[in-house]
Amino acid sequence: MRDLLVVENLRQIFGGRNQTFAVDDVSFRIPAEPTIVSLVGESGSGKSTIARIILGLLQPTAGRVLYDGADIAMSGRKWNRKFRGEVQAVFQDPYSVYNPVYKAERVLKLVIRKFGLAKSKAEAQAMMEEALRAVDLRPEEVLDRHPHQLSGGQRQRLMLARVYLMRPRLIVADEPVSMIDAGMRASFLNILQDFRDSHGISTLFITHDLSTAMYLGGEIIVLYQGRIMEQGATQTVMNAPLHPYAQLLISSIPTPDPRRRWDEDLSAAPLAEIGYGASAGRERCLFADRCPQVMDQCWGARPRLQAPKIDAVDSAQRDVACYLYE
Amino acid sequence: MPALLEIRGLSAGLQGRRSVTQVVSNVDLDVRSGEILGVVGESGCGKSTLATAIMRLLVPPQVLQSGSMTLRLNKGSSYDLVKLSESELRELRWRHLSYIPQGSMNSLNPVLRVERQMTDTLIQHGLSDKEARSRAIAALELVNLEPKILYSYPHELSGGMRQRVIIAAAVSMRPALIVADELTTALDVVTQRQILQELIGIRDELGATIILITHDMGVVAQIADRVAVMYAGKIAELGTVNGIFETPLHPYSQGLIGSIPRESGQRVEGLLGEAPSPWNYPTGCRFHPRCPKVFAHCRAQTPALQVQASDRWAACHLYDAEVAADA
C-alpha cells in the first residue's frame, strides 16, 4: 500500500545573510496503516515548521511532501479539496482559533456546510451531536455557549469534534495539549488513540513534552536543530535512547514519581544555547558541542541517519544519526 | 520545625459592585523554614491568587478579605504581612521575600542592559553601586551565568537565560522566602531540569525557603519536599511529596495523580468534569460534583483540613470518622 505521507529531504532556510536552517534535510514517512507519529524536540528544533510545510502553509526551500502519492505543492481545485478534507490541523492555542462573537456550534456548522456533509438540518444536528459524544463532550454543555464560556480542554476537544466530522485520514496536531490542564490531557490523548483504533485516523503529533509522546506510543522522531537525531518505535526509543541528545532529552523529563528523581546534577553543565548555526559549520554533528561522548569525527562530517550497528534485538526498529553506532 | 510563614484563615477575592467573589477561601498553611513547598492544582484553582496574596501584591479588583500571615525571620523579628503598610512591605520585599511571577522572563525591559535591571532594586535598597554590582555577579553565579551577561540586552539571551536572570535578580538580596509561580512552564525540558536543579542549589546555598506554584506534577515530584494540593480556592490535601504521590487521600489528589499519562499502553482516564469558577463554587465540599466517592454529607457540609496521619492533612469527609459512619 502507498504510504499516507512521505516527507523527502525537506529543507527550510529562513533569512538572507544570517541564514537560519529551521529544517535541514528531513525525511520520514507515515505508513498507510493508522499510526501515531510523534515529532519531538526543543523549541527551535524545526518541528512546527515541518507541520506548517505539511499543511501547505509554507513553501519549503527544498524537498517535497507527498500525500497519498501526490506532491502537495500540486495545485488544482479537486486535489486541493481532497487534501483539505483528508488532512486536518489542530493547533496549540485553544483560545485564538475561535471567533469570540459566534457560538461554539459555528465551528461545526461551518464544516458541515462548506463540505456539504449533511442533507438536512436534522441530519446536521445529529452529526454534531455524534461528533461531540465521540470527544466526550455533552452537546447541551457546549453548542449554545460562546468560546469564552468553555474551558481550554473543552475548546480543544471541540476542535477534535470538528476534525471528527470530516473523518480525515491524517491529523496534524501542533502542541495540542500544552495549554490544557493535566487532568484533561489524558482524555485528549485517549481520543486520538480511539480515532486511530476505531476510525483509522493517523496523527502526526508535534510536542516538546516527551511524556505525552510516551503515552501515545506509535513512532517517535527526535529532532535537534532541524535534523533528525533518532527515530523508531516510541517505546524502544524512550526506554533505551541511543543518541546522546535523545538520552539527555529523555533523562530530563520530570518523572512524576518522587522516588525516581534525577540522579545527576546538570545545573553546572554547559548551558543549552540554541544556536541556529550559520551555513558554515553545519557539516558536522550539530550536537557535538554539547555531547559528553564527542569524538574527532563528529566535527568532520554530518552523521547519516541509519540503523545502529549494535547487537540488540531492537536495532532494526530504529535509525540513529551518530558516529557511536556506525 | 518552626514555620517561616504561618498562614491562617486567608481569604482573597474579586471585588464586585455589591459583593466580593471569593477566590481563595480560608487557607491555613505553614511554610517550613528551608523547604521547597509545591503548590499544585488545575488552572483557575487559586494558586496564583494565593501567591500574590502572600506577596501582598493583589491589585483591584482583587482584595485581601481576611486572615493573617506571620513571617518569622531568624533574627527573632516577626511580621504579620496582612497588617503591614505599603512602605513597610517595600522594605521586606526583595530583602526578605521575593516573588517570581508567571511569565516574568518576558518582563525584562528590552532597552536596558541586564546590569541596570539587576542593580536598580539593590540600589533602591540602600546598596552602593559597587556593592550592587558584586551582589548581582554573585547572584548570576548561583544560576551558572557569567558576569558578562550584565552587559547583554534581553533579546540577546535565550529564554532559559532570561529566566535565570530573573531568578538571579530575585535572589540577589538573599531573601528568606521565594515565591515562584510557574517558573519553568515555557521552557524546554533540558533547560527546565537545569533551572530546577539550580533552584535546589539556591535553597541549599542561601538556606532559602521556596514556594513553587506549578501545574506540573512531574516538577513537584522531582524537587518539592512537601506538596499542597489546591482545589477551587482551598487546600484539599497537604503532605510530604512521597506521601502524597504514594497514598493520596483526597479523591481530587487521587484523580490528579491518577490522570498523569505515564507508560504507553496503560490507559488513564482524565479527571471528569471541569473545575468550577469562583462565581459558582459548589456548596459543601467544592469537589463534590466531580468526586467519584461523593455521599450526601459532602453536598451540605464543608470539610475542614484535618490531620490524617503524621505530616498529612486532608479536607475530606471520607476521613471524618463520625460523618463517614453516618453515611
Side-chain angles (χ1 to χ4, degrees):
Chain A
M1 243 187 339
R2 249 200 318 247
D3 285 332
L4 181 62
L5 189 85
V6 179
V7 171
E8 273 180 4
N9 306 104
L10 213 57
R11 186 165 266 152
Q12 183 71 54
I13 302 168
F14 292 117
R17 203 170 303 155
N18 292 317
Q19 288 188 328
T20 299
F21 286 74
V23 181
D24 189 4
D25 201 8
V26 165
S27 305
F28 64 90
R29 52 184 213 97
I30 298 176
E33 314 80 71
T35 330
I36 296 178
V37 177
S38 298
L39 206 52
V40 305
E42 297 173 275
S43 45
S45 63
K47 53 192 193 302
S48 290
T49 306
I50 294 173
R52 289 175 62 205
I53 293 170
I54 290 172
L55 289 169
L57 303 174
L58 192 66
Q59 281 281 343
T61 312
R64 58 179 190 159
V65 178
L66 304 179
Y67 174 74
D68 203 13
D71 193 329
I72 62 158
M74 197 176 81
S75 53
R77 260 183 87 115
K78 202 171 151 211
W79 194 84
N80 240 330
R81 204 173 166 78
K82 168 185 151 81
F83 182 71
R84 290 274 162 250
E86 291 181 5
V87 179
Q88 290 289 319
V90 177
F91 293 106
Q92 175 176 13
D93 186 349
Y95 300 86
S96 66
V97 294
Y98 290 94
N99 184 333
V101 299
Y102 292 108
K103 285 180 184 169
E105 62 179 5
R106 185 178 141 100
V107 299
L108 302 181
K109 280 189 168 161
L110 266 182
V111 181
I112 294 175
R113 200 168 74 220
K114 292 286 177 195
F115 284 86
L117 300 177
K119 288 182 197 73
S120 65
K121 264 196 169 167
E123 197 187 340
Q125 188 66 28
M127 283 182 90
M128 290 199 296
E129 288 180 9
E130 190 209 334
L132 291 173
R133 272 192 297 272
V135 298
D136 299 326
L137 285 174
R138 264 176 286 182
E140 66 276 12
E141 275 180 6
V142 291
L143 282 182
D144 224 18
R145 301 270 180 91
H146 283 274
H148 71 267
Q149 293 169 307
L150 303 176
S151 72
Q154 283 176 319
R155 279 183 244 206
Q156 209 57 321
R157 276 180 290 155
L158 190 59
M159 289 321 285
L160 280 185
R162 181 186 159 283
V163 164
Y164 177 86
L165 279 176
M166 298 294 300
R167 301 283 153 60
R169 290 183 67 195
L170 178 66
I171 297 173
V172 177
D174 192 355
E175 299 275 10
V177 293
S178 66
M179 289 176 75
I180 62 182
D181 267 316
M184 293 282 55
R185 258 177 219 191
S187 79
F188 187 94
L189 303 174
N190 290 343
I191 294 166
L192 290 180
Q193 290 178 328
D194 291 344
F195 279 8
R196 175 192 60 195
D197 301 337
S198 320
H199 302 284
I201 303 173
S202 293
T203 299
L204 179 65
F205 189 84
I206 290 147
T207 185
H208 71 283
D209 178 4
L210 287 122
S211 56
T212 53
M214 176 80 166
Y215 181 70
L216 281 171
E219 305 276 314
I220 196 169
I221 298 172
V222 180
L223 287 168
Y224 182 69
Q225 293 191 23
R227 290 184 189 167
I228 297 177
M229 297 287 130
E230 184 162 353
Q231 66 178 19
T234 303
Q235 211 147 16
T236 312
V237 173
M238 296 286 284
N239 288 340
L242 292 178
H243 197 289
Y245 173 65
Q247 290 170 352
L248 173 68
L249 197 63
I250 289 164
S251 71
S252 298
I253 302 173
T255 312
D257 179 355
R259 302 248 182 231
R260 281 166 55 207
R261 289 191 167 180
W262 293 310
D263 42 8
E264 184 192 355
D265 189 357
L266 271 194
S267 58
L271 291 185
E273 307 222 9
I274 307 221
Y276 302 87
S279 58
R282 283 184 73 90
E283 275 313 308
R284 59 174 175 104
C285 172
L286 295 176
F287 189 60
D289 36 5
R290 288 170 69 193
C291 184
Q293 299 178 69
V294 64
M295 306 175 291
D296 281 350
Q297 66 190 123
C298 303
W299 299 99
R302 173 180 178 157
R304 266 179 314 181
L305 185 66
Q306 55 191 3
K309 302 222 171 31
I310 50 162
D311 299 326
V313 263
D314 61 28
S315 61
Q317 290 178 25
R318 60 170 135 189
D319 296 315
V320 186
C322 178
Y323 289 117
L324 287 172
Y325 307 101
E326 283 198 0
Chain B
M1 213 188 321
L4 176 79
L5 179 68
E6 205 176 281
I7 302 173
R8 290 289 175 272
L10 186 73
S11 294
L14 295 164
Q15 179 72 56
R17 206 171 296 167
R18 284 188 199 84
S19 60
V20 176
T21 306
Q22 208 165 65
V23 177
V24 168
S25 303
N26 204 14
V27 165
D28 293 336
L29 182 62
D30 281 355
V31 185
R32 296 173 184 170
S33 187
E35 76 173 343
I36 298 182
L37 175 70
V39 178
V40 298
E42 292 167 285
S43 45
C45 73
K47 308 186 289 284
S48 294
T49 306
L50 177 65
T52 29
I54 292 172
M55 294 304 300
R56 285 284 315 275
L57 284 171
L58 295 170
V59 287
Q62 295 174 311
V63 284
L64 190 66
Q65 291 174 284
S66 57
S68 68
M69 298 187 284
T70 313
L71 180 70
R72 289 201 185 84
L73 299 171
N74 49 10
K75 290 161 210 118
S77 49
S78 85
Y79 308 85
D80 183 354
L81 297 178
V82 174
K83 297 210 176 80
L84 295 185
S85 70
E86 195 48 46
S87 64
E88 289 167 317
L89 283 165
R90 202 185 289 251
E91 274 300 304
L92 279 184
R93 289 192 198 122
W94 290 84
R95 194 184 291 279
H96 298 300
L97 70 158
S98 69
Y99 178 45
I100 307 173
Q102 187 167 4
S104 50
M105 65 185 222
N106 299 319
S107 66
L108 289 168
N109 186 333
V111 300
L112 296 181
R113 291 181 202 271
V114 167
E115 180 174 20
R116 256 296 283 291
Q117 311 196 42
M118 286 189 72
T119 54
D120 262 1
T121 347
L122 296 169
I123 292 165
Q124 280 287 314
H125 278 276
L127 271 69
S128 71
D129 287 16
K130 215 176 141 201
E131 282 169 337
R133 227 183 98 83
S134 64
R135 280 284 183 96
I137 291 171
L140 287 173
E141 208 169 289
L142 285 172
V143 290
N144 298 305
L145 288 178
E146 291 172 36
K148 68 172 189 210
I149 292 286
L150 287 176
Y151 306 110
S152 304
Y153 287 99
H155 74 266
E156 295 170 313
L157 308 176
S158 69
M161 291 164 96
R162 276 183 278 137
Q163 187 62 283
R164 286 183 170 90
V165 167
I166 293 286
I167 296 171
V171 302
S172 56
M173 299 282 288
R174 304 181 147 252
L177 179 67
I178 301 161
V179 181
D181 193 354
E182 299 288 3
L183 189 69
T184 56
T185 302
L187 301 171
D188 290 316
V189 282
V190 179
T191 315
Q192 163 168 287
R193 173 177 172 186
Q194 290 174 323
I195 288 185
L196 292 175
Q197 290 183 326
E198 281 158 11
L199 201 63
I200 296 173
I202 287 170
R203 189 264 309 263
D204 297 344
E205 191 107 337
L206 306 183
T209 304
I210 299 170
I211 300 178
L212 187 70
I213 313 258
T214 179
H215 68 279
D216 190 332
M217 297 301 282
V219 167
V220 163
Q222 288 298 324
I223 77 158
D225 300 309
R226 291 197 309 150
V227 183
V229 179
M230 275 191 87
Y231 185 78
K234 283 172 164 281
I235 291 183
E237 188 165 356
L238 173 68
T240 61
V241 67
N242 287 339
I244 298 263
F245 275 81
E246 273 157 33
T247 52
L249 294 177
H250 198 288
Y252 177 64
S253 321
Q254 292 168 357
L256 207 56
I257 288 161
S259 66
I260 302 171
R262 292 168 204 260
E263 308 286 313
S264 52
Q266 288 178 25
R267 198 173 166 114
V268 295
E269 296 305 327
L271 270 169
L272 292 175
E274 308 285 336
S277 80
W279 285 272
N280 43 25
Y281 278 155
T283 55
C285 172
R286 289 177 180 173
F287 186 59
H288 86 253
R290 295 171 77 187
C291 184
K293 297 174 181 164
V294 61
F295 52 96
H297 207 75
C298 306
R299 299 189 180 92
Q301 292 290 320
T302 308
L305 188 66
Q306 287 174 330
V307 178
Q308 307 295 348
S310 107
D311 230 350
R312 182 76 74 86
W313 292 261
C316 178
H317 290 311
L318 283 173
Y319 307 101
D320 206 333
E322 285 168 39
V323 178
D326 281 354

